[in-house]
Amino acid sequence: MRDSAEPTAPLTARQRQAARIAEAASRPLGWTLLKILLLAIVDAIALYAAFVLFAHREWLVLALVVAVTVAVNVIYFSRRLVPAKYLAPGVVFLVLFQVFTLLYTGYIGFTNYGTGHNGTKEQAVSSLLASAQQRVEDSPAFPVAVVEQFGTYGFLATDPASGAALLGTAEEPLREVDATFEGGRAVAVDGWTTLPLARVFALSAELESLAVPFGEDPNDGSLRAPDGQRGYLYVSALEYDARADTITDTATGTVYADIGAGAFTAQDGRELLPGWQTTVGFDNFARAVTDESIRGPLLAVTVWTFVFAFVSVVTTFFLGLLLALVFQNNRMRFRNGYRIILILPYAFPAFLSALIWAGMMNESFGFINQVIFGGASIPWLTDPVLAKVSVLLVNLWLGFPYMFLVCMGALQGIPDDVNEAAVMDGANPWQVFRRIKLPLLLVTVAPLLIASFAFNVNNFNLIYMLTRGGPRFDDVSIPVGHTDILISMVYKVAFTGQNRDYGLASAFTILIFIVVATIAVISFRKTKALEELN
Amino acid sequence: MTKRGIAAVGAITAVSALTLAGCTAGTGGDGGDAASSLTVWVDAERVATLQDAADAYEERTGVRVALVGKSVDDMKDDFIQQVPTGRGPDIVMGAHDWLGELSANGVVAPLELGDSADGYLPVALQAATYDGTVYMLPYAVENIAVLRNTALVPEAPASFDEMIAPGTFVVEQGAEGNPYHLYPFQTAFGAPVFGTDAAGGYDATDLQLGAPGGFAFADWLAAQGAAGTLNTDIDGDIAKQQFLDGTAAFWLTGPWNVGAAVDAGIDVAIDPVPSPTGQTASPFAGVKGFFVSAESTNKVAANDFLVNYIGTEDVQLDLFQAGNILPALTAAADAAASDPIIAGFQAVGADGVPMPAIPAMGSVWQFWGVAEAAIVNGADPTATWQRLVDDVTAAIE
């Protein structure tokens, strides 16, 4: 309004500058100060984070922090980037908590990350070699002191049988030396410095790799001192050849080579675990659709997932709508009181409610059978059909308050005159509802119904807390049951037992994402059509 | 610029910065003075107990022991995920049946007990050993036994039938069964899960579930289910409630529930699991202990702390006093057994076998409980047990 009253002739550069200064001067000083103060706090935190990250050499994260901070400062000090001021917080959150997670899940879907493929190759090799150290049978424990000479570390050991002092390094096998004894154990030798225990603890990395050969024969083993005070003789069951990149079993002579599968593998296909994490292309996706054990119940589970989500949305919506219509009636007393009571289920955490329902539906001890049905034994959660009904009932209880709230709001948004006009034209209440209110309501509510559908497709909490997917199918060999939905089945396939398969689970999530996204896109198109209709 | 906009930018950047910094802030320990500090993840309930031990160790050696309380539920997965990044702890407290997984992921370092190995209860040492190598310093052994309400039944029963005659017996089950609590009965029929190899470790290729005893056990389960002695509707809470209010006279459970029974004013006696066959009923023993991370930069100090300090009688007794479960060190266990309840569990534990830690055990758990629950609820015992054996065999391969 104000703008249109001002002269519209183009301003000169000087005029624009003058206008800017005038505008800046006219702005309340408090807001500007507050803005500077808040940005200063943000920058201070970012600066602290940058120092911490620098100290830990996290270059990528450091670069991100710096970039975000600079961008935020530019956006909020600039006068031009008004839309960016509104969008920036949302965009940063979106990238941080959604886009990054999505991309990372996608990446994991292409790796073999999971039990046995957990770290890097170097870690796998060092772990394999460490575990392959076997104590020489019937060998004694040697009291040991760690000694040092010109940066070379050695062991000054006391032979428990003869009481003689033995000295050796990684290169030189143990030999007898004259040493100073204290309480029966050698503690010092000429030319070498005996290190105190505190120094020994600090030399962890050096000591771990220090193995002093007992004699010329490698089968006698090497002396190692895991706690820096007592030495034991070990032989290694595995040998790593860094040049050929193979590991050899010294007892059987089997050679394990890196064949690109993320583990050292022998000719006959046996793998040495731990292996390491590596990318495997589309293997996980191929397994997700071809693996016998998964494919079997997949169809039944997929069908139930959609039935569950669809029926849940429909029942919760219509119950919510019905209640909203009833409570719209002005003649009812204590309407707000009733409304609050109806919203209560929505206020409890869903997983808690599901657990309580699971207890109430217990066949022999549950409240429902014991009190309501007077001691009947109705298998609410253990009969395949009844378990599905129970899941839907509990989800109805959990979900209708949301629909009630939404419908209540949407109904209030429908102008009364439309209603009155219909009544004047002689429509009965059902016609008013069916022809006027419902279509108008659906315009506002349809996107929420789609969102609710997508939510229920992935409603893991309810299924896991109420039935854990049970009762199980009798005829399949993975622990999947009649009430399992896709996401809980994925969870079971990937995480039950001792084997974690994050790669496969991620691949599954991506597949489910594609399904849900497709449905959402189609439905939103339909909604748009609905909108144009009105 | 609006006030909301300013607030939003403040919140968002603060959160981002803290999130990003938080990813790295947990690594404070391995800077310059790393050598003199050990990070230990412990069950949040035991931080206070271990604090004294940690302080005493620091006084003795100058090595600072930083205890980090963690939830037991995600300790194992967090450990497996964080060790390869170099951000895990030096030592983690856990249970021996984690070993298969920790070892397959290469996150745990071998531990040399040396001559002190002989000082541990045999079952504890066996549990700490995986594939012939010791990886864990055991500190406590836990097994189930029968809690008897002496006010209701003054004499210990000699057999299963004698037990269920004078009073009600409850055991935790659930819709998916609970094979851990039924295992003593299964072993009484001579059907352990796995056979053992020459070194005493479990052999995944020797599945014993399908032995004739397994089918006899299945028949027994069906009979008990029909008689109502076993009921899959009884979960842990219901079993506890029935024992506490005197409905049940016998409760097959672990030491973790003794406190509740004693607090409820019940005079509890600990009995061995009465055998339904005459053969010994061996419960699973769960052994708690400490593991050293494969990527720890302080393995020498970690070894010293565990083997030469936590492995001493005094410290094991201190840990016992806080947790009230049987110490793994024989000397400490004998000292702790002056308490009749501990002595009761120790006597039952003498027959115990370590819960298998081999990865194949995961395949057994998947199917075991559900099959047992089905049999208790009236499914054909022979066919169901055969399916269990087939499913497990298929899953292991």
Side-chain angles (χ1 to χ4, degrees):
Chain A
M1 289 290 136
R2 194 178 53 111
D3 288 342
S4 61
E6 280 172 5
T8 47
L11 298 166
T12 64
R14 281 187 67 96
Q15 275 174 319
R16 275 205 300 273
Q17 196 186 359
R20 262 209 309 273
I21 294 169
E23 200 213 338
S26 70
R27 176 184 300 205
L29 184 64
W31 286 131
T32 314
L33 278 180
L34 183 63
K35 171 170 136 182
I36 292 174
L37 183 72
L38 284 174
L39 274 172
I41 293 173
V42 166
D43 288 350
I45 292 171
L47 198 65
Y48 169 74
F51 273 119
V52 173
L53 291 168
F54 181 79
H56 287 94
R57 299 185 180 79
E58 293 282 348
W59 305 124
L60 183 68
V61 189
L62 176 63
L64 282 172
V65 168
V66 170
V68 169
T69 317
V70 168
V72 164
N73 278 291
V74 168
I75 288 169
Y76 287 95
F77 277 117
S78 147
R79 283 191 187 291
R80 298 222 185 96
L81 302 167
V82 177
K85 286 181 191 179
Y86 288 92
L87 288 176
V91 169
V92 174
F93 275 125
L94 188 75
V95 169
L96 196 66
F97 293 116
Q98 298 279 342
V99 178
F100 170 74
T101 328
L102 261 175
L103 290 179
Y104 191 68
T105 309
Y107 163 72
I108 295 292
F110 290 93
T111 68
N112 61 357
Y113 183 32
T115 298
H117 305 279
N118 193 44
T120 64
K121 188 172 176 182
E122 290 75 47
Q123 287 169 339
V125 171
S126 77
S127 170
L128 281 169
L129 294 181
S131 297
Q133 295 296 329
Q134 291 174 341
R135 206 168 149 191
V136 176
E137 255 175 70
D138 302 326
S139 65
F142 296 77
V144 153
V146 182
V147 290
E148 187 229 332
Q149 185 184 47
F150 313 124
T152 308
Y153 299 102
F155 287 139
L156 176 61
T158 316
D159 190 324
S162 65
L166 304 166
L167 178 73
T169 66
E171 273 81 42
E172 290 175 46
L174 289 172
R175 65 192 149 83
E176 239 182 273
V177 289
D178 289 328
T180 319
F181 283 84
E182 207 172 86
R185 61 184 281 175
V187 290
V189 64
D190 281 346
W192 295 74
T193 320
T194 305
L195 302 179
L197 207 52
R199 275 292 309 282
V200 173
F201 287 159
L203 292 171
S204 199
E206 287 81 358
L207 265 190
E208 259 174 66
S209 54
L210 182 57
V212 178
F214 186 67
E216 299 298 338
D217 180 4
N219 286 330
D220 288 346
S222 307
L223 193 70
R224 288 169 181 266
D227 65 357
Q229 297 148 66
R230 267 181 293 271
Y232 305 94
L233 291 174
Y234 296 94
V235 283
S236 182
L238 295 176
E239 240 161 44
Y240 178 57
D241 182 346
R243 202 171 311 151
D245 201 15
T246 57
I247 284 186
T248 311
D249 185 326
T250 50
T252 62
T254 317
V255 177
Y256 297 85
D258 175 7
I259 56 163
F264 287 104
T265 314
Q267 293 255 305
D268 60 2
R270 268 180 306 150
E271 287 187 340
L272 283 179
L273 288 185
W276 55 92
Q277 202 180 325
T278 177
T279 51
V280 292
F282 283 91
D283 280 10
N284 288 323
F285 294 89
R287 256 179 75 202
V289 286
T290 56
D291 194 314
E292 253 338 283
S293 65
I294 302 168
R295 212 173 43 181
L298 189 64
L299 189 69
V301 170
T302 312
V303 169
W304 164 241
T305 305
F306 286 101
V307 169
F308 165 71
F310 184 76
V311 175
S312 291
V313 171
V314 171
T315 52
T316 52
F317 173 65
F318 280 104
L319 182 62
L321 178 60
L322 179 75
L323 291 169
L325 285 169
V326 169
F327 284 97
Q328 215 191 6
N329 196 323
N330 290 325
R331 284 173 300 175
M332 184 178 278
R333 296 182 69 193
F334 311 119
R335 273 195 306 170
N336 285 339
Y338 292 129
R339 279 178 180 165
I340 289 170
I341 291 172
L342 281 177
I343 291 165
L344 271 182
Y346 191 45
F348 293 125
F351 61 89
L352 196 66
S353 307
L355 272 180
I356 290 170
W357 275 98
M360 294 205 300
M361 288 176 159
N362 184 305
E363 192 179 326
S364 354
F365 302 97
F367 181 84
I368 296 181
N369 279 350
Q370 286 297 307
V371 178
I372 300 181
F373 289 99
S377 51
I378 303 167
W380 292 107
L381 300 174
T382 42
D383 176 76
V385 178
L386 214 48
K388 288 184 175 177
V389 174
S390 303
V391 166
L392 288 171
L393 276 178
V394 174
N395 207 22
L396 175 62
W397 188 84
L398 285 171
F400 86 84
Y402 171 73
M403 292 298 177
F404 172 63
L405 276 178
V406 167
C407 291
M408 209 162 62
L411 282 173
Q412 275 160 5
I414 299 175
D416 261 350
D417 44 359
V418 183
N419 198 0
E420 275 166 30
V423 174
M424 294 292 262
D425 284 347
N428 63 30
W430 167 251
Q431 283 170 323
V432 173
F433 169 73
R434 176 66 191 81
R435 305 276 171 202
I436 313 280
K437 282 187 178 167
L438 191 61
L440 284 174
L441 194 70
L442 277 179
V443 174
T444 1
V445 177
L448 296 173
L449 295 184
I450 296 163
S452 164
F453 181 83
F455 170 80
N456 277 313
V457 165
N458 287 329
N459 198 341
F460 178 83
N461 277 356
L462 173 71
I463 301 293
Y464 201 72
M465 292 296 170
L466 193 62
T467 62
R468 300 207 160 223
R472 289 237 197 127
F473 289 121
D474 298 327
D475 48 355
V476 300
S477 51
I478 52 170
V480 176
H482 288 275
T483 55
D484 260 316
I485 54 175
L486 281 170
I487 191 79
S488 66
M489 174 180 149
V490 169
Y491 178 83
K492 286 180 171 179
V493 169
F495 298 107
T496 42
Q498 294 194 329
N499 289 321
R500 302 280 179 271
D501 197 336
Y502 300 113
L504 183 66
S506 299
F508 260 119
T509 349
I510 294 168
L511 293 178
I512 295 178
F513 170 76
I514 292 171
V515 172
V516 175
T518 316
I519 293 171
V521 167
I522 295 172
S523 314
F524 274 118
R525 287 237 174 97
K526 286 262 155 82
T527 325
K528 219 173 235 173
L530 202 70
E531 225 163 295
E532 279 156 9
L533 216 75
N534 289 278
Chain B
M1 163 142 195
T2 63
K3 187 179 168 188
R4 282 238 307 271
I6 298 178
V9 70
I12 179 185
T13 318
V15 170
S16 332
L18 287 176
T19 313
L20 294 171
C23 299
T24 54
T27 55
D30 41 22
D33 62 341
S36 54
S37 160
L38 287 173
T39 306
V40 185
W41 280 2
V42 292
D43 169 356
E45 289 167 13
R46 302 201 196 273
V47 174
T49 332
L50 268 173
Q51 195 58 57
D52 290 341
D55 292 344
Y57 183 73
E58 180 175 0
E59 210 162 280
R60 214 179 70 171
T61 59
V63 177
R64 205 176 76 82
V65 180
L67 300 174
V68 181
K70 295 272 292 180
S71 147
V72 200
D73 297 327
D74 34 49
M75 202 141 63
K76 182 181 64 180
D77 283 337
D78 282 1
F79 183 72
I80 291 171
Q81 283 165 15
Q82 292 194 21
V83 165
T85 66
R87 301 201 170 117
D90 297 294
I91 295 172
V92 69
M93 182 189 243
H96 84 271
D97 55 316
W98 296 6
L99 251 179
E101 216 177 319
L102 297 186
S103 154
N105 282 311
V107 293
V108 64
L111 198 66
E112 181 58 68
L113 294 180
D115 299 335
S116 71
D118 301 336
Y120 291 91
L121 296 174
V123 67
L125 189 65
Q126 196 188 342
T129 312
Y130 184 77
D131 241 357
T133 309
V134 175
Y135 288 96
M136 181 178 82
L137 185 103
Y139 80 85
V141 180
E142 212 168 44
N143 57 267
I144 53 172
V146 172
L147 270 60
R148 172 166 49 90
N149 185 337
T150 55
L152 297 175
V153 182
E155 290 299 320
S159 72
F160 189 81
D161 293 334
E162 254 179 58
M163 172 173 74
I164 55 173
T168 312
F169 160 78
V170 282
V171 60
E172 173 179 347
Q173 289 290 290
E176 303 220 325
N178 193 321
Y180 173 81
H181 282 93
L182 292 182
Y183 193 64
F185 303 121
Q186 187 177 332
T187 51
F189 283 91
V193 180
F194 293 111
T196 47
D197 57 23
Y202 286 106
D203 181 1
T205 59
D206 180 18
L207 189 71
Q208 291 278 336
L209 271 182
F215 291 94
F217 171 63
D219 289 336
W220 180 82
L221 277 182
Q224 300 309 318
T229 318
L230 297 175
N231 182 345
T232 55
D233 288 331
I234 297 185
D235 62 14
D237 292 331
I238 295 173
K240 185 181 198 167
Q241 197 51 49
Q242 294 210 343
F243 187 76
L244 295 188
D245 63 22
T247 316
F250 300 98
W251 183 18
L252 178 56
T253 190
W256 52 89
N257 271 324
V258 173
V262 173
D263 290 348
I266 294 173
D267 185 17
V268 179
I270 309 297
D271 296 338
V273 184
S275 168
T277 60
Q279 285 186 57
T280 313
S282 309
F284 274 141
V287 179
K288 312 241 176 231
F290 296 87
F291 303 97
V292 178
S293 157
E295 298 297 316
S296 163
T297 48
N298 292 309
K299 289 209 192 79
V300 177
N303 267 283
D304 181 62
F305 176 62
L306 293 185
V307 178
N308 303 334
Y309 188 68
I310 298 285
T312 57
E313 190 182 334
D314 288 348
V315 178
Q316 293 247 330
L317 274 176
D318 282 350
L319 284 171
F320 157 73
Q321 252 128 35
N324 238 343
I325 38 177
L326 187 70
L329 198 67
T330 313
D334 293 342
S338 60
D339 177 342
I341 286 180
I342 298 300
F345 278 106
Q346 188 187 17
V348 181
D351 294 330
V353 289
M355 194 146 50
I358 50 178
M361 193 59 197
S363 313
V364 178
W365 287 122
Q366 268 181 53
F367 302 102
W368 200 9
V370 178
E372 287 186 355
I375 294 173
V376 168
N377 287 330
D380 177 58
T382 313
T384 313
W385 197 262
Q386 186 57 51
R387 244 186 70 77
L388 164 71
V389 175
D390 294 344
D391 282 346
V392 170
T393 313
I396 290 175
E397 287 163 0

